[in-house]
């Protein structure tokens, strides 16, 4: 078991090193084979670990593999260890499973790109850092993986570095997530200061003690653990693109489509959800911080869905749905239903990666066209992609038949999304009810814009270039095979995993080492006893969204333009993403540029250069030029200078003596 855990983490790093360092020697195909093989082996080993951990006895649900001592300074001792419990085992399945499919998909998608080995190396490097994040046994190691995926994300978003838009998007993602990471680092410092530990087991043991502590800062008397948890959540807001720090996610679509599927749908953006669930024994003791998590998550679910209604770039629509679905996960974790949050994280990984890679299949078929206004009727050219995209769309919309065969029958999102909604309602708190209703309305909008994507892309007549249509064709097998694998997950994972995650077997599956079982047990108990209308509400709203979308884009295609003209202010607000970019530009970017320009012109130019190089140094250089004229080489010039000097000395001594 220990060897399997080590190989899962280290194989992607080894593959990244081989593809990246020896790319000119081995070429494109060997780089693809090495990286894909490493991830497939890691995925197979992850299944083995998942089965052994998830379905083993309680005393076998936690394995810590110590590798070496990383830091040892005073009271700070950091071991580099790999912690594997059920929570980690779930993330191993998600990360290696999706990553292996993305690696295979990239063979077909990036076939004509000159930087194939570099791209495959970046993908594997990202996977390594994500695996380091989820297997961390302490906060410092967690932060290492956290920053590592940020670096890999920067490299992958800006992979096409010859495009200014890709460079700008990479820089934006790096800077915005660093803002969140500053809060995350402060939260880690606060936990260490309060507990004197960075190891999870030691921190959790001191949780009740920390909950009684107070923190004095800038004249304020603050609850220490609440403050630390809010700071930790700020890091999650940046990494998981929550409201306020979400602006980087849609711009990240400038990277190749496999990047969108791997980083910005299934793995990196879920790091914040994983972190909150990993630290759930602390958040369980911090009700104010948990309420903040709930409200921010619910607001993000609603906010991002409104933007998805009006976007036309096929990848951006899916990107905003990612932002919205992450909001669902956070409000589930905020109300204490950590297993439900992880359930949706798992199912979401399958159907969202499917939607992104399916969008990439469409983009490839249409010679890299991404504007849905220039699509239409594409199912004629890409029938397999069409049906697979429908699977992902219905899973995202949460479509199913409740109460049938006990837990109901439906697509993956039907099980996990409904459980999050029922958990929010079941806690019977104000923030829980706010989250429930915002989630229900977001479910309506999600179904609307998801099926809008399908109708605009695959139905009706083609609206793009005639030459592009003539050459459009279905994607090759190397692209379709990963779609079928992900499609199977989007279709079956919810039904298969329901009892493990949130059903009657949840405690036996999770054990007591992975998540806070007290709050999870209470919330799941209430969630299973909510009124029937609460269970039906998300489905009814989702079906209403699909029906309205059908009316708008199939029955009467003139309605979207008519609605936009009838409600221009609301349409402009949603289409321009609530003007967050413009507000941030006015509040932060332009003032920063103005301050920088002032310090450059007035500070550096006028003061520093004026007093330094442009003043004293310039005068010294001028004086040196004058003195150089006496270096003529003529003896009488030197004699004259000596005479003047002697005369000056005699005069000085005479005046001194007279005084």
């Amino acid at each position: 078991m220990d060897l399997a855990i080590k190989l899962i983490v280290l194989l992607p790093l080894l593959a990244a090193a081989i593809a990246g360092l020896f790319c000119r020697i081995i070429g494109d195909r060997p780089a693809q084979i090495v990286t894909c093989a490493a991830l497939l082996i890691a995925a197979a080993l992850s299944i083995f670990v998942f089965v052994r951990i998830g379905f083993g006895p309680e005393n076998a649900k936690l394995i810590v593999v110590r590798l070496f001592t990383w830091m040892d300074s005073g009271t700070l001792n950091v071991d580099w260890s790999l912690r594997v419990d059920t929570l980690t085992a779930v993330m191993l399945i998600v990360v290696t499973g999706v990553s292996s499919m993305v690696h295979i998909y990239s063979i077909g998608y990036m076939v004509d790109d000159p930087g194939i080995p570099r791209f495959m190396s970046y993908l594997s490097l990202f996977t390594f850092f994500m695996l380091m994040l989820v297997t961390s046994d302490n906060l410092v190691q967690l932060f290492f993986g956290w920053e590592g995926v940020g670096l890999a994300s920067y490299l992958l978003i800006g992979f096409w570095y010859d495009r200014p838009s890709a460079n700008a998007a990479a820089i934006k993602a790096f800077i915005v997530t660093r803002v969140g990471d500053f809060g995350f680092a402060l939260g880690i410092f606060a936990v260490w200061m309060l507990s004197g530990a960075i190891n999870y087991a030691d921190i959790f043991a001191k949780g009740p003690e920390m909950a009684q502590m107070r923190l004095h800062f800038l004249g304020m008397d603050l609850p220490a653990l609440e403050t630390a948890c809010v700071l930790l959540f700020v890091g999650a807001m940046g990494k998981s693109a929550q409201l306020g720090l979400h602006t980087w996610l849609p711009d990240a679509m400038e990277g190749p489509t496999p990047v969108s599927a791997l980083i910005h749908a299934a793995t990196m953006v879920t790091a914040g959800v994983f972190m909150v669930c990993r630290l759930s024994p602390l958040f369980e003791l911090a009700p104010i911080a948990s309420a903040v998590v709930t409200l921010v998550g619910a607001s993000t679910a609603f906010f991002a869905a409104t933007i998805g209604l009006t976007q036309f770039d096929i990848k951006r629509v899916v990107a905003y749905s990612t932002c919205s679905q992450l909001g669902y996960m956070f409000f589930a974790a905020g109300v204490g239903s950590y297993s439900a949050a992880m359930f949706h994280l798992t199912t979401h990984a399958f159907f969202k990666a499917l939607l992104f890679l399916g969008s990439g299949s469409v983009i490839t078929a249409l010679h890299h066209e991404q504007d849905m206004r220039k699509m239409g009727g594409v199912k004629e050219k890409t029938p397999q992609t069409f049906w697979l995209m429908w699977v992902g769309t219905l899973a995202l919309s949460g479509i199913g038949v409740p109460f049938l065969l006990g837990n109901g029958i439906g697509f993956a999102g039907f099980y996990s999304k409904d459980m999050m909604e029922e958990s929010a309602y079941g806690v019977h708190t104000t923030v829980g009810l706010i989250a429930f209703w915002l989630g229900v309305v977001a479910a309506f909008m999600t179904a609307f814009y998801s099926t809008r994507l399908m109708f605009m892309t695959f139905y009706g007549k083609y609206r793009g270039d005639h030459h592009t249509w003539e050459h459009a064709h279905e994607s090759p097998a190397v692209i379709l095979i990963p779609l079928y694998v992900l499609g199977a997950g989007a279709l079956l994972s919810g039904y298969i995993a329901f009892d493990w995650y949130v059903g009657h077997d949840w405690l036996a599956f999770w054990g007591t080492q992975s998540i806070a079982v007290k709050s999870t047990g209470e919330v799941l108990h209430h969630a299973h006893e909510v009124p029937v209308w609460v269970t039906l509400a998300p489905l009814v709203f989702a079906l209403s969204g699909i029906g309205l979308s059908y009316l708008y884009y199939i029955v009467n295609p003139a309605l979207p333009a008519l609605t936009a003209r009838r409600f221009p202010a609301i349409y402009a607000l949603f289409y321009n993403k609530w003007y967050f970019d413009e507000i941030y530009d006015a509040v932060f970017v332009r003032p920063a540029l103005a301050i920088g320009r002032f310090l450059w012109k007035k500070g550096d130019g006028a003061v520093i250069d004026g007093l330094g190089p442009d003043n004293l140094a310039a005068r010294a250089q001028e004086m040196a030029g004058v003195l150089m004229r006496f270096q003529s080489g003529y003896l009488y010039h030197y004699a004259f200078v000596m005479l003047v000097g002697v005369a000056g000395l005699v005069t000085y001594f005479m005046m001194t003596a007279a005084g």
Side-chain angles (χ1 to χ4, degrees):
M1 179 70 92
D2 289 4
L3 178 60
I5 294 170
K6 294 176 183 177
L7 288 175
I8 291 171
V9 175
L10 296 178
L11 279 175
L13 177 62
L14 178 62
I18 293 174
L21 299 177
F22 303 103
C23 56
R24 295 186 179 181
I25 299 175
I26 63 177
D28 293 354
R29 184 62 70 189
Q32 293 171 332
I33 293 174
V34 167
T35 52
C36 290
L39 264 298
L40 287 171
I41 294 172
L45 292 173
S46 296
I47 296 174
F48 168 73
V49 172
F50 175 80
V51 173
R52 290 285 300 274
I53 295 290
F55 302 97
E58 174 64 30
N59 59 3
K61 285 189 176 295
L62 174 61
I63 297 175
V64 178
V65 181
R66 184 181 179 279
L67 301 180
F68 53 86
T69 298
W70 187 13
M71 303 178 192
D72 188 1
S73 176
T75 59
L76 178 63
N77 182 274
V78 183
D79 287 336
W80 199 292
S81 303
L82 305 178
R83 175 193 177 99
V84 180
D85 52 19
T86 307
L87 183 62
T88 303
V90 167
M91 292 302 296
L92 292 180
I93 289 285
V94 171
V95 174
T96 59
V98 173
S99 182
S100 59
M101 292 302 101
V102 169
H103 275 71
I104 295 172
Y105 178 95
S106 299
I107 296 175
Y109 191 87
M110 303 293 289
V111 63
D112 296 323
D113 197 281
I116 289 174
R118 179 167 58 91
F119 182 75
M120 302 302 289
S121 176
Y122 288 169
L123 287 181
S124 295
L125 182 65
F126 166 81
T127 307
F128 162 73
F129 281 124
M130 191 66 194
L131 291 171
M132 288 304 308
L133 189 157
V134 301
T135 58
S136 62
D137 189 42
N138 57 72
L139 291 175
V140 177
Q141 192 174 328
L142 173 70
F143 193 72
F144 170 80
W146 192 273
E147 294 303 299
V149 292
L151 167 64
S153 176
Y154 170 80
L155 295 174
L156 285 165
I157 296 170
F159 175 77
W160 287 320
Y161 55 82
D162 55 337
R163 301 182 182 180
S165 58
N167 287 324
I171 293 171
K172 183 177 183 180
F174 197 77
I175 292 175
V176 173
T177 53
R178 294 292 77 69
V179 173
D181 291 352
F182 179 70
F184 187 49
L186 291 177
I188 292 175
F189 295 151
V191 171
W192 183 51
M193 181 186 71
L194 296 172
S195 66
I198 49 91
N199 181 274
Y200 293 145
D202 297 334
I203 292 171
F204 298 157
K206 296 184 179 181
E209 182 182 340
M210 288 190 285
Q212 305 301 319
M213 296 181 181
R214 308 294 294 182
L215 185 66
H216 300 281
F217 180 70
L218 296 179
M220 296 181 290
D221 183 46
L222 305 171
L225 186 58
E226 298 278 12
T227 304
C229 287
V230 169
L231 290 171
L232 291 169
F233 177 61
V234 170
M237 289 176 61
K239 196 67 71 182
S240 296
Q242 293 300 282
L243 183 61
L245 295 177
H246 67 281
T247 53
W248 66 271
L249 185 63
D251 290 351
M253 299 303 107
E254 289 291 340
T257 298
V259 174
S260 304
L262 178 63
I263 297 182
H264 309 112
T267 51
M268 188 188 93
V269 292
T270 61
V273 179
F274 166 80
M275 184 269 290
V276 171
C277 292
R278 168 60 76 205
L279 300 179
S280 57
L282 298 184
F283 280 89
E284 185 182 44
L285 300 171
I288 297 175
S290 296
V292 171
V293 174
T294 303
L295 292 175
V296 171
S299 300
T300 304
F302 175 85
F303 159 79
T306 62
I307 301 176
L309 297 172
T310 58
Q311 300 303 301
F312 294 105
D313 185 306
I314 188 171
K315 287 173 63 177
R316 285 179 180 261
V317 173
V318 183
Y320 276 110
S321 76
T322 297
C323 192
S324 181
Q325 296 305 303
L326 289 166
Y328 277 96
M329 299 177 208
F330 275 114
F331 80 60
V335 298
S337 189
Y338 301 104
S339 61
M342 291 303 301
F343 189 22
H344 196 59
L345 185 154
T346 304
T347 60
H348 175 266
F350 289 110
F351 62 71
K352 188 52 62 64
L354 172 62
L355 288 172
F356 264 119
L357 296 185
S359 299
S361 180
V362 172
I363 293 168
T364 301
L366 300 180
H367 299 276
H368 302 288
E369 178 59 66
Q370 296 184 199
D371 192 335
M372 295 189 298
R373 291 170 293 189
K374 299 179 181 179
M375 299 181 185
V378 180
K379 67 177 180 179
E380 178 183 337
K381 297 288 187 177
T382 60
Q384 296 182 70
T385 300
F386 165 71
W387 288 112
L388 288 164
M389 287 281 283
W390 259 122
V391 171
T393 297
L394 294 175
L396 172 62
S397 302
I399 302 303
V401 181
F403 311 120
L404 192 64
L405 298 179
N407 299 325
I409 297 293
F411 294 86
F414 164 74
Y415 299 94
S416 55
K417 184 181 288 187
D418 278 16
M419 183 50 62
M420 293 187 297
E421 293 277 20
E422 291 162 10
S423 297
Y425 182 89
V427 295
H428 297 295
T429 62
T430 301
V431 293
L433 290 175
I434 291 173
F436 170 76
W437 284 112
L438 288 177
V440 167
V441 176
F444 168 82
M445 293 187 286
T446 299
F448 180 90
Y449 67 67
S450 298
T451 49
R452 168 181 177 264
L453 181 152
M454 294 298 298
F455 295 145
M456 291 186 69
T457 302
F458 294 103
Y459 290 81
K461 295 182 179 180
Y462 183 69
R463 299 179 294 274
D465 178 68
H466 181 69
H467 179 74
T468 300
W469 178 252
E470 290 178 347
H471 292 83
H473 57 82
E474 183 61 276
S475 298
V478 72
I479 286 180
L480 291 176
I481 289 174
L483 294 183
Y484 276 105
V485 174
L486 295 169
L491 192 61
L492 301 173
S493 62
Y495 178 81
I496 293 173
F498 182 88
D499 284 335
W500 305 342
Y501 280 78
V502 295
H504 55 76
D505 296 330
W506 78 269
L507 185 57
F509 176 74
W510 289 104
T512 58
Q513 301 286 344
S514 299
I515 57 176
V517 295
K518 180 181 178 181
S519 61
T520 301
E522 292 177 357
V523 175
L524 290 182
H525 173 72
H526 293 302
H528 288 297
E529 296 184 347
V530 296
V532 173
W533 71 265
V534 174
T535 302
L536 293 176
L539 177 63
V540 171
F541 273 71
L543 291 175
S544 301
I546 293 174
L548 186 63
S549 178
Y550 182 81
L551 173 65
Y552 264 59
Y553 294 96
I554 300 297
V555 176
N556 189 355
L559 281 177
L562 178 63
T563 303
R565 290 194 300 270
R566 186 69 59 85
F567 304 99
I570 296 177
Y571 179 82
L573 179 68
F574 293 171
Y575 182 74
N576 291 289
K577 298 162 287 188
W578 292 55
Y579 298 102
F580 264 90
D581 285 322
E582 290 78 4
I583 293 172
Y584 284 175
D585 184 65
V587 175
F588 299 112
V589 178
R590 292 182 184 177
L593 287 174
I595 292 172
R597 189 175 293 108
F598 173 81
L599 294 176
W600 169 37
K601 293 292 187 181
K602 302 300 182 181
D604 188 50
V607 178
I608 298 176
D609 288 344
L611 295 177
D614 293 340
N615 192 1
L616 298 178
R619 303 293 81 77
Q621 187 174 8
E622 292 174 2
M623 182 61 67
V626 173
L627 295 176
M628 283 174 59
R629 297 178 182 178
F630 293 100
Q631 305 295 322
S632 62
Y634 293 109
L635 182 61
Y636 60 87
H637 283 173
Y638 298 150
F640 176 72
V641 172
M642 292 173 64
L643 181 60
V644 171
V646 170
L649 288 173
V650 171
T651 303
Y652 171 75
F653 285 120
M654 290 178 62
M655 293 179 64
T656 302

